[in-house]
Amino acid sequence: MRITVGNFLFRTRNVLFPLLYLTLFIGQQRVSQAAVAMLIAGAAVALLGQGIRVLTVGLDYIVRGGRQRKVYADSLVQTGLFAHCRNPLYLGNLLMIIGFGVAANNSWYLTIAMPLFFLGYACIIAAEEHYLLGRFGDDYRHYCARTPRLLPRLRGLGKTLRTFAFNWRRVVVKEYTTLCMTLLMLVLLAARALHADARGWIISTGLIVLILLACGAVRILKKSGRLHAGLPRQ
């Protein structure tokens, strides 16, 4: 059952998951009256999650998005952050989900949407593990035996960070949409939490425009071939 649900969510997550994010802005019931403290704490957790995603993509890369909206892997990546956690991208996502919820200080999101996110990712991970086990067999079993599913093993992390070359081009090309989404979400949550006045919304709108322009510029450079994940063209 979990595998079937996971395959369905893998195909539809780009539509269904954004709908859950809408609950961040529904209702006014707060979990805490310390709105600024919640905003700061939540932003820190969300940025930690985004940082994990950046490190994951920059150190070693796994094909994301599957193939034809189905779970797919052309190789079993076991290096970079994947040597410390089997699902570092999903770990980053979950931290961002938690961080946004704390920053929003919204009881609807924290009590309804966030548990649904966790359940959804549990099903997606189950579907991916089923696929990887069928494709890679004992290699995947051995990988699972020595590598945690979500909570990373910190031993040897320093060596990994020192020895792997960081590919910033790959981060920009492959991660720019998530980076923009994270920044946009934090700007909107900050404006909401701080009850921004007219001046505050002008500043927020300016930041939103700058983020969207940066995102658009990266997309144009990517589509034109002037910015790509590999080495600079000669």
Side-chain angles (χ1 to χ4, degrees), residues 111-125:
T111 59
I112 298 176
M114 200 162 73
L116 288 176
F117 269 124
F118 291 167
L119 180 61
Y121 274 109
C123 292
I124 290 174
I125 289 172

Side-chain angles (χ1 to χ4, degrees), residues 24-218:
L24 286 166
F25 305 97
I26 294 176
Q28 298 295 325
Q29 186 174 355
R30 295 182 174 185
V31 176
S32 170
Q33 296 303 313
V36 175
M38 293 285 283
L39 174 64
I40 293 172
V45 174
L47 291 174
L48 173 61
Q50 180 64 80
I52 290 173
R53 286 184 59 90
V54 167
L55 279 177
T56 301
V57 176
L59 294 178
D60 205 350
Y61 184 62
I62 186 171
V63 176
R64 293 176 291 165
R67 177 172 288 182
Q68 297 179 342
R69 297 195 304 166
K70 295 181 180 179
V71 176
Y72 175 80
D74 54 4
S75 63
L76 183 60
V77 179
Q78 304 178 58
T79 54
L81 286 196
F82 291 96
H84 303 272
C85 170
R86 302 203 305 269
N87 298 281
L89 290 171
Y90 290 157
L91 172 62
N93 288 352
L94 291 171
L95 287 173
M96 289 161 64
I97 287 166
I98 295 170
F100 292 149
V102 173
N105 196 15
N106 185 313
S107 60
W108 283 89
Y109 179 89
L110 291 171
T111 59
I112 298 176
M114 200 162 73
L116 288 176
F117 269 124
F118 291 167
L119 180 61
Y121 274 109
C123 292
I124 290 174
I125 289 172
E128 291 188 346
E129 289 180 343
H130 177 76
Y131 170 85
L132 293 170
L133 183 60
R135 182 172 177 85
F136 299 108
D138 287 341
D139 285 344
Y140 185 66
R141 289 190 183 92
H142 296 154
Y143 175 54
C144 290
R146 65 175 182 271
T147 311
R149 177 180 283 119
L150 272 177
L151 295 179
R153 185 183 65 244
L154 299 181
R155 187 175 71 253
L157 181 59
K159 181 180 179 181
T160 297
L161 296 177
R162 289 194 305 271
T163 56
F164 266 78
F166 186 82
N167 189 334
W168 68 267
R169 286 176 176 267
R170 185 165 61 212
V171 170
V172 174
V173 170
K174 301 296 184 181
E175 191 67 6
Y176 76 96
T177 54
T178 304
L179 281 165
C180 289
M181 185 276 289
T182 300
L183 295 175
L184 287 171
M185 192 72 76
L186 291 177
V187 169
L188 290 172
L189 290 175
R192 185 176 187 272
L194 300 175
H195 300 289
D197 55 14
R199 180 182 178 187
W201 278 111
I202 290 173
I203 294 173
S204 298
T205 302
L207 290 173
I208 290 169
V209 170
L210 288 175
I211 293 168
L212 292 176
L213 287 174
C215 185
V218 172

